[in-house]
Amino acid sequence: MASALDPVAQLLQATLDPNQNKHAEQQILQAEKSPNFSLLLLQIVASDQYPHTTRLASALCFKNLVKRNWTDEDGNHKLPSREVVAIKQELIGLMTSTPPGIQSQLGDAISVIADSDFWQRWESLLDDLVSRLTPDNTAVNNGVLQVAHSIFKRWRPLFRSDDLFTEVNFVLSKFSLPFLGLFVNTDRLIGENKDNKEAIQQLFVTLNLIVKLFNDLSCQDLPPLFEENLASIMSLLDKYLSYDNPLLNTDDDGEPGPLEFIKAGICEVLILYVQKYEDAFGPHVPGFIGSVWGLLTAVGPQTKYDILVSKALQFLSAVAHVASHAQNFSDKGVLANVVEKVILPNVSLRESDKELFEDEPIEFIRRDLEGSDSDTRRRAATDFLRALLEQFEAPVTEVVSTYINHYLSDYSGPNGNWASKDTAVYLFSSIAAKGVSTASGGVKDTNPLVDVVDFFQNNIAGDLVADKGVQPFLKVAAMKYLYTFRSRIQKHQWQQALPLVARHLSSSEYVVHTYAAICIERVLFLQVFDQSDIVALSKDLLERLLCLIEKEGAPEKVQENEFLMKCVMRVLIVIRDGVIPNTDSILAHLIKITDIICKNPSNPRFYYYHFEAIGALIRFASPSQPDKLEQALGKPFAFAVQQDIQEFIPYVFQLLAALLEANSSASLPDYYRSLIPSILMPVLWESKGNVPALVKLVTSIIPRGTSEMARDGQVEPVLGVFQKLVSTKANESYGFDILESVIAHFPVDVLQPYFNHMFNIMLLRLQNSKTENFSLKFVRFYHFMSARGEKGLGTDFVINILDQIQSGVFTPLYTSIILPDTQKLSKPFDRKTAVISLTKTITESRAFAERYKKGWAYTTDALLALLGSSVITAAIEDVIDEADIDDMSFGVGFTQLNTCKRLPKDPYPEIKDMKLWVSRRIIDANARTSGSIDGFIRERLSPESQHKLVSLFAR
């Protein structure tokens, strides 16, 4: 059997070779379509005849296959049912017999499967897991627990719901008792094997998984069995919070070991129980405060303790947020002791921080600024201090101010200890800030007992002004201070500070010039400055930033620092068309960077900002010089498409569309003509990430290439794309975007052979799998067609098509879907189109005048309801935001470039006053038809509707 696996194993091995990986991955994607390919992968994972790297690659490939192919958007299995059953049977056994690295990949696959199948389509899983637990086989137990954790950890971020609680209770009914038994048994085995290094290390892997699972099982509600046994459980947790064994210690001061992970995990459990189950857990809190305090004062400054210290401080922060428990810290002497023993050691710079600053500066910055910072000692200590400040503002401010003054004196003394000043600035920032610091605005509320601006002027500003003699850490501290309190600084103060910060872009110190970029970008985001304030500075700012990015030519180094590119993007967005005089220089830089990073895309954040910067340049410079940008960017964009650089293609398609839209009146360039056949190939639309970008590109090509596409027979392939997209819930909106573009730009006679088929596709969806979104998109599309009578379409045109498909189908469609859902249209321009459509229906449609007399009244009532309900026109705001790169979904599939985002377009800009337009249209139609509209009003409308219509005419 092994020989049958060899070709697949060779392909998997080739994916690890940079020279073969792309071709091998494409072959594997093709092989995935073969029956039972997933089972071949699992057989390779199970076979010790293959190298570990091949087995690991197979596990990774299996995980990705499951992610892509387990279920469709309706939750139905995409793989054959026999294969699904076989996978579930194989997986659990593999989890108990494979090495940890492989277990991790398989565990992720199990989590994906559980998302759709557990528990109702995989009821046997829990019984299988419980049956495999053993009294003394840690390898098997660890595999079982890893599977359980892979499934139950999904609950942590979920909101409460009946379905979720049904699943949780199902699990608890079968798993909680054997789980607690395993916990107790593991504790016994640890005691018996305390001198057996190999055994105790495996047992601590078990204990670590037990602690994780305890958190999983408790995350939604306190399990009844846990509550009944809370005292004994907490006793065990407290025991391991202070447990020590030399056999579990690591020699590396930078790497946490089993003890650190266990204790950090226990602190996470304590945080959860303080925040959610204080009623039951409250009596245990004082004891844990003592244990955690002892732990914090015992561990050293080594980085291996960082996660543990951070979690321990987060527990104390959680305690301090509960008023009754915060009283443990209320005494001024206790507060001073807390600051001296816990806060100061964890906010002061350590040698490891200085080494990180010098040796891994980008890592230093990311830890200091972003979400990962929550697991640093400094951030955790600051959060604890601020929690205390919320409860005891005056005494905490007084105590900490004493230390701030002490450190400032130490800096200004004869030895000039710069680290003391860094600590002073950090402490002041910690007590000055109130509330949550936001990514957009920083700190917006401050402690009334301190003066943020005065402290900056007296103690910090000099560090920015001085050209020499200031330690780089203090330069960074000064700019981070401005960054933190940016919303509290007035424009006239920023006008003085911004040039000082900008000077530091010339610094040779990596962290210094990066913080300068970060500070500049965030203050520009606040819109403190407008275009005219920044244009004069922009040329120098952009040149410095772009030269810093290009400083080292290797692809991984060029794209290492996303903060620099984010600042480039922000400057371009702020100066708008002020970029035009410098277009050539900036364009050359951006093309050079594109060429470099095409060789090895490695930082999604960097290239997102990079393409947003190109998008901004296109948006603001291309309208005045479209040919220049089209020609210059064509080559690098074509290279990315030809080389199938998957990370870039969705961005490139958006940018190509933006180039077309910037010069919408010109003919279609040859490059785009040559691109059309390839972008209409079905294989390109298989990738979910490509679809929105491809739709944008196709709908940008159509207005400029209508005649060529009609001549080359490309209308039918485009409509084939519509059919494919509109058949799925995930892409139905994009399908309508394609269809509306086709109908808006191609002549009716070109489309005549296809109208029946188009509507038939939509009617089948409405009949068999209608969704709220599809229904609204269909209604919008109906009005889009109905309002265009002057282009050969209109209400009667649609009725005629529907009659050809099925006689009489229009009446139920109109009364049960179109009219009711018209009122649900929420976008102003959609409502405007609906008003025009309904108005033309009652004034121009022969079918409604003669056949649908009740329908004429219903339509008039719907029109009056639309006119009376809400605003049907809207101002268009040209505001650009960027994607949230901290969102969990960022970089997965499609990411919208907001500089290329289409603004809502008024389809009828000439109509300003809708009510006036409607009344005149009705009056004109009445005159044109010798008063027939008056007759319809008298005969078909209720007195109430007549009154509303007369009121409309009174305008």
Side-chain angles (χ1 to χ4, degrees):
M1 188 65 185
S3 60
L5 302 176
D6 287 346
V8 178
Q10 289 166 7
L11 272 181
L12 292 166
Q13 196 63 37
T15 64
L16 307 176
D17 181 351
N19 297 318
Q20 304 180 65
N21 63 339
K22 189 156 283 189
H23 180 63
E25 286 166 2
Q26 290 174 344
Q27 287 185 284
I28 286 174
L29 284 174
Q30 288 300 313
E32 279 184 6
K33 300 173 184 177
S34 306
N36 297 318
F37 183 74
S38 61
L39 299 177
L40 294 180
L41 293 175
L42 291 181
Q43 289 175 41
I44 293 172
V45 168
S47 175
D48 56 10
Q49 296 181 22
Y50 296 105
H52 177 77
T53 53
T54 303
R55 297 172 67 195
L56 183 60
S58 191
L60 179 61
C61 183
F62 174 78
K63 177 184 75 173
N64 291 331
L65 181 152
V66 167
K67 284 183 175 180
R68 285 190 294 266
N69 298 310
W70 191 254
T71 58
D72 60 23
E73 60 185 9
D74 295 319
N76 300 312
H77 290 132
K78 294 168 72 173
L79 297 174
S81 57
R82 288 184 179 180
E83 194 169 344
V84 167
V85 171
I87 286 171
K88 291 177 180 178
Q89 289 172 342
E90 292 290 325
L91 270 178
I92 308 306
L94 286 174
M95 283 294 291
T96 61
S97 61
T98 52
I102 292 175
Q103 279 186 352
S104 177
Q105 299 300 326
L106 296 179
D108 289 344
I110 289 171
S111 185
V112 173
I113 294 170
D115 269 334
S116 67
D117 287 24
F118 187 77
W119 56 283
Q120 290 172 321
R121 292 196 291 188
W122 204 359
E123 286 189 54
S124 63
L125 174 63
L126 276 181
D127 291 330
D128 188 8
L129 290 176
V130 170
S131 71
R132 292 174 185 264
L133 289 173
T134 72
D136 51 12
N137 190 327
T138 53
V140 171
N141 289 344
N142 292 344
V144 170
L145 296 178
Q146 186 65 56
V147 173
H149 177 54
S150 298
I151 296 169
F152 306 155
K153 69 181 179 182
R154 299 159 34 253
W155 301 337
R156 294 195 188 190
L158 300 181
F159 292 107
R160 298 170 73 103
S161 70
D162 290 344
D163 288 344
L164 174 61
F165 270 67
T166 300
E167 179 180 325
V168 172
N169 289 331
F170 172 76
V171 169
L172 292 174
S173 68
K174 292 177 175 287
F175 193 75
S176 56
L177 187 60
F179 169 74
L180 286 184
L182 181 65
F183 192 178
V184 172
N185 189 57
T186 302
D187 172 57
R188 178 183 62 79
L189 290 173
I190 287 172
E192 293 174 358
N193 291 275
K194 64 181 186 299
D195 299 321
N196 183 333
K197 184 173 183 178
E198 183 178 351
I200 201 167
Q201 286 182 335
Q202 284 301 306
L203 285 165
F204 261 73
V205 172
T206 307
L207 186 60
N208 190 28
L209 287 166
I210 286 171
V211 171
K212 288 179 180 179
L213 278 161
F214 191 82
N215 206 327
D216 298 337
L217 296 168
S218 303
C219 67
Q220 289 294 331
D221 203 359
L222 181 56
L225 194 63
F226 290 7
E227 187 171 9
E228 292 170 15
N229 295 275
L230 199 59
S232 58
I233 292 171
M234 290 303 154
S235 175
L236 279 175
L237 293 178
D238 196 21
K239 171 183 176 179
Y240 287 103
L241 202 55
S242 55
Y243 183 88
D244 192 24
N245 188 324
L247 297 178
L248 295 168
N249 292 335
T250 58
D251 297 329
D252 187 348
D253 285 344
E255 287 295 324
L259 283 172
E260 287 74 49
F261 284 121
I262 290 290
K263 293 177 182 182
I266 291 171
C267 287
E268 283 193 60
V269 170
L270 301 182
I271 294 165
L272 174 69
Y273 271 66
V274 167
Q275 292 174 337
K276 293 197 70 168
Y277 312 123
E278 201 274 330
D279 286 349
F281 183 62
H284 303 279
V285 169
F288 279 112
I289 291 175
S291 298
V292 170
W293 178 267
L295 187 154
L296 284 169
T297 54
V299 299
Q302 295 89 341
T303 55
K304 71 177 182 179
Y305 298 120
D306 285 0
I307 294 176
L308 170 56
V309 170
S310 175
K311 296 299 181 186
L313 286 167
Q314 287 174 37
F315 165 68
L316 293 181
S317 298
V319 170
H321 281 298
V322 181
S324 58
H325 295 311
Q327 296 307 311
N328 287 287
F329 307 105
S330 61
D331 183 79
K332 195 172 179 180
V334 172
L335 287 173
N337 199 29
V338 167
V339 172
E340 182 178 344
K341 297 289 180 61
V342 172
I343 303 296
L344 293 179
N346 291 302
V347 299
S348 300
L349 287 171
R350 299 169 296 165
E351 283 304 313
S352 59
D353 297 319
K354 298 172 188 176
E355 290 170 5
L356 196 66
F357 186 98
E358 294 293 337
D359 300 337
E360 296 183 67
I362 193 67
E363 183 63 21
F364 176 91
I365 294 161
R366 287 174 182 153
R367 288 188 185 184
D368 204 33
L369 281 179
E370 299 173 11
S372 59
D373 192 26
S374 61
D375 280 337
T376 65
R377 294 189 184 217
R378 270 195 156 188
R379 171 58 56 212
T382 300
D383 289 343
F384 180 34
L385 184 58
R386 287 178 179 165
L388 293 173
L389 191 72
E390 287 179 16
Q391 303 286 352
F392 318 110
E393 186 171 76
V396 169
T397 302
E398 182 182 346
V399 168
V400 176
S401 295
T402 302
Y403 286 100
I404 292 170
N405 293 330
H406 163 75
Y407 283 116
L408 288 174
S409 298
D410 189 42
Y411 170 71
S412 60
N415 295 324
N417 186 347
W418 65 264
S420 292
K421 183 172 183 181
D422 180 84
T423 303
V425 172
Y426 196 91
L427 280 173
F428 183 86
S429 298
S430 298
I431 62 166
K434 290 183 71 175
V436 177
S437 177
T438 65
S440 58
V443 171
K444 296 187 176 181
D445 192 15
T446 55
N447 183 343
L449 302 176
V450 298
D451 189 325
V452 169
V453 175
D454 183 67
F455 186 83
F456 176 78
Q457 291 172 338
N458 293 333
N459 299 291
I460 298 176
D463 294 336
L464 287 178
V465 174
D467 291 324
K468 297 179 180 179
V470 178
Q471 219 281 341
F473 264 100
L474 296 184
K475 295 277 190 184
V476 169
M479 288 185 285
K480 188 177 181 186
Y481 188 93
L482 289 172
Y483 164 86
T484 302
F485 296 105
R486 56 192 179 273
S487 292
R488 304 293 298 178
I489 299 172
Q490 302 301 310
K491 180 173 180 177
H492 71 275
Q493 294 164 332
W494 267 119
Q495 286 172 326
Q496 296 175 338
L498 188 65
L500 295 175
V501 174
R503 283 170 49 197
H504 289 81
L505 289 174
S506 300
S507 172
S508 60
E509 288 284 349
Y510 190 104
V511 180
V512 173
H513 65 238
T514 301
Y515 260 91
I518 290 166
C519 193
I520 292 166
E521 190 278 326
R522 283 292 85 184
V523 72
L524 293 183
F525 177 82
L526 280 181
Q527 300 180 357
V528 172
F529 299 105
D530 56 27
Q531 180 186 19
S532 60
D533 296 318
I534 302 300
V535 165
L537 296 171
S538 63
K539 182 179 180 181
D540 187 48
L541 281 175
L542 289 167
E543 189 65 27
R544 289 186 190 183
L545 287 162
L546 291 163
C547 287
L548 284 170
I549 292 168
E550 297 169 0
K551 187 176 179 181
E552 296 186 53
E556 64 275 9
K557 294 301 292 183
V558 166
Q559 61 194 305
E560 175 185 71
N561 193 332
E562 67 268 17
F563 303 105
L564 298 177
M565 186 52 79
K566 186 177 185 182
C567 192
V568 170
M569 175 200 75
R570 185 66 56 206
V571 173
L572 290 171
I573 289 172
V574 171
I575 64 173
R576 302 176 76 84
D577 57 4
V579 74
I580 291 173
N582 304 311
T583 298
D584 290 350
S585 170
I586 295 164
L587 185 59
H589 279 296
L590 292 174
I591 289 173
K592 179 180 178 181
I593 292 167
T594 304
D595 290 341
I596 294 170
I597 65 176
C598 269
K599 297 172 185 174
N600 182 24
S602 59
N603 184 351
R605 297 182 178 201
F606 178 92
Y607 54 73
Y608 163 71
Y609 292 127
H610 172 66
F611 288 122
E612 284 282 25
I614 295 177
L617 190 65
I618 291 170
R619 182 166 181 164
F620 300 121
S622 194
S624 64
Q625 42 197 326
D627 293 339
K628 175 186 290 184
L629 269 74
E630 278 188 5
Q631 291 170 11
L633 291 167
K635 184 178 178 181
F637 288 174
F639 179 81
V641 174
Q642 290 163 4
Q643 295 299 309
D644 193 29
I645 304 174
Q646 291 293 321
E647 298 91 338
F648 289 1
I649 283 178
Y651 293 126
V652 167
F653 286 157
Q654 292 177 75
L655 293 167
L656 287 169
L659 283 167
L660 283 175
E661 291 170 1
N663 188 24
S664 57
S665 60
S667 60
L668 190 68
D670 290 342
Y671 171 69
Y672 288 91
R673 286 198 201 118
S674 66
L675 196 61
I676 293 172
S678 59
I679 64 174
L680 294 179
M681 293 290 288
V683 66
L684 204 56
W685 296 82
E686 294 297 329
S687 169
K688 293 179 181 178
N690 285 348
V691 169
L694 280 168
V695 169
K696 184 175 175 65
L697 180 55
V698 169
T699 55
S700 298
I701 287 174
I702 287 172
R704 286 179 61 173
T706 305
S707 58
E708 293 92 339
M709 294 178 73
R711 181 195 66 209
D712 296 340
Q714 292 167 333
V715 174
E716 192 164 320
V718 171
L719 291 174
V721 171
F722 152 73
Q723 181 174 355
K724 176 181 175 62
L725 296 180
V726 87
S727 66
T728 65
K729 295 175 184 176
N731 293 321
E732 59 196 17
S733 295
Y734 299 118
F736 279 105
D737 290 343
I738 292 270
L739 185 59
E740 288 184 12
S741 182
V742 167
I743 291 174
H745 296 98
F746 284 98
V748 173
D749 60 330
V750 172
L751 300 177
Q752 195 68 50
Y754 307 109
F755 278 117
N756 285 23
H757 187 56
M758 292 180 211
F759 273 91
N760 199 40
I761 290 167
M762 291 182 276
L763 291 177
L764 287 172
R765 267 297 309 268
L766 287 170
Q767 180 180 344
N768 299 327
S769 54
K770 184 181 78 168
T771 64
E772 178 77 6
N773 180 64
F774 186 89
S775 180
L776 289 174
K777 289 293 181 182
F778 174 78
V779 170
R780 170 196 150 102
F781 174 70
Y782 167 81
H783 290 303
F784 171 85
M785 292 273 290
S786 172
R788 282 166 169 72
E790 70 281 357
K791 294 187 178 181
L793 303 173
T795 307
D796 289 348
F797 183 86
V798 175
I799 293 171
N800 182 51
I801 293 169
L802 292 170
D803 279 344
Q804 291 177 39
I805 295 171
Q806 181 181 334
S807 179
V809 74
F810 177 73
T811 299
L813 185 67
Y814 192 70
T815 56
S816 63
I817 294 178
I818 294 172
L819 284 183
D821 284 1
T822 292
Q823 306 301 326
K824 298 178 184 177
L825 294 172
S826 58
K827 295 179 180 178
F829 293 143
D830 290 349
R831 295 175 74 82
K832 184 175 185 178
T833 300
V835 167
I836 293 168
S837 161
L838 297 174
T839 303
K840 289 184 177 181
T841 297
I842 63 172
T843 58
E844 298 176 5
S845 169
R846 177 171 294 182
F848 273 81
E850 298 173 1
R851 290 165 54 189
Y852 303 122
K853 296 179 181 180
K854 289 183 179 179
W856 194 95
Y858 297 153
T859 302
T860 305
D861 287 341
L863 172 62
L864 291 169
L866 267 184
L867 289 171
S869 62
S870 63
V871 177
I872 51 176
T873 57
I876 299 173
E877 295 186 11
D878 189 4
V879 177
I880 300 172
D881 296 315
E882 76 269 11
D884 181 4
I885 59 171
D886 294 315
D887 186 275
M888 289 291 287
S889 62
F890 174 79
V892 179
F894 175 75
T895 300
Q896 169 76 54
L897 290 176
N898 286 290
T899 50
C900 299
K901 196 172 185 179
R902 286 176 181 152
L903 296 173
K905 187 176 181 181
D906 188 344
Y908 300 93
E910 70 280 5
I911 303 174
K912 307 297 183 186
D913 186 328
M914 287 305 305
K915 291 182 180 179
L916 181 62
W917 180 87
V918 170
S919 63
R920 287 179 176 174
R921 196 85 180 186
I922 293 174
I923 290 169
D924 290 347
N926 190 54
R928 189 175 64 250
T929 59
S930 304
S932 63
I933 302 294
D934 277 341
F936 295 162
I937 292 171
R938 289 193 304 272
E939 297 166 9
R940 302 179 181 181
L941 294 186
S942 67
E944 182 184 357
S945 296
Q946 291 182 36
H947 175 72
K948 289 180 181 178
L949 206 55
V950 169
S951 299
L952 187 67
F953 296 149
R955 290 170 51 85

